[in-house]
Amino acid sequence: MGSTGSTGAARSGYAEVAASAALTLIAVACSLLERQLAAQAAAFQKEGGFTERLYRTRTSSRKNP
C-alpha cells in the first residue's frame, strides 16, 4: 500500500481554502444586505410605504383625469 499522507494534507488544505472562501462570500453577502436595508429604510422615510404612495397616486389621478 502507498502513502496517503500527502493526499490527506492536500484535502485538508483544500478544505481550509474552501471554508475561507465561504466565509468571505458570507461576509460580502451580509455587507450587501446591510447596505440594501439601509437604502430601503431611507427610501421609506423619504417616500413612505406602499399604501402612502398608492394613496398619492390615486388622489393625483383623480385630480388630473
Side-chain angles (χ1 to χ4, degrees):
M1 293 198 171
S3 173
T4 59
S6 62
T7 305
R11 286 184 184 163
S12 176
Y14 176 76
E16 290 172 2
V17 170
S20 178
L23 288 173
T24 301
L25 290 174
I26 290 170
V28 169
C30 288
S31 174
L32 291 173
L33 285 172
E34 287 175 3
R35 287 176 58 186
Q36 182 181 15
L37 187 58
Q40 286 179 336
F44 182 81
Q45 283 182 335
K46 181 179 179 184
E47 301 168 9
F50 176 77
T51 305
E52 295 174 66
R53 291 186 311 233
L54 181 61
Y55 176 77
R56 282 195 302 263
T57 302
R58 289 174 64 201
T59 54
S60 69
S61 67
R62 288 180 186 158
K63 291 178 183 177
N64 303 319

